[in-house]
Amino acid sequence: MKKIVLTAEEIRTLEIYLWTNPCSAGCPLGQKPRLPKLDNGTYDCYAVKENGEYICPLQRAKHNIMKKLGK
């Protein structure tokens, strides 16, 4: 694993990028990884498993990065 050092500005920029919703334009992973659908027929990208972990691998990774950044 490679370790990097980020400036406060870089961390803030990364945080802003992580808060954006790439899913609004379609699934950036090119698939719907067993997501349930909402009442309006769209996929629930924020659905969680019984253990509280996101079903979507993108949301799961995003959440883990934010936790590591202390956000």
Side-chain angles (χ1 to χ4, degrees):
M1 180 182 291
K2 185 176 181 179
K3 191 180 238 184
I4 62 170
V5 177
L6 300 174
T7 66
E9 182 179 2
E10 291 166 337
I11 291 171
R12 175 88 173 114
T13 301
L14 182 58
E15 180 183 4
I16 290 168
Y17 279 123
L18 289 170
W19 277 109
T20 61
N21 184 6
C23 307
S24 62
C27 183
L29 300 178
Q31 61 181 345
K32 305 290 188 216
R34 296 188 300 271
L35 295 174
K37 286 190 177 183
L38 297 170
D39 291 339
N40 65 5
T42 61
Y43 289 97
D44 184 3
C45 296
Y46 301 99
V48 294
K49 299 177 185 177
E50 292 175 3
N51 64 2
E53 186 178 72
Y54 285 102
I55 296 171
C56 174
L58 179 66
Q59 294 299 336
R60 193 168 47 244
K62 179 176 152 180
H63 176 74
N64 290 338
I65 292 168
M66 292 297 282
K67 279 191 344 189
K68 290 176 182 178
L69 291 175
K71 303 294 178 181

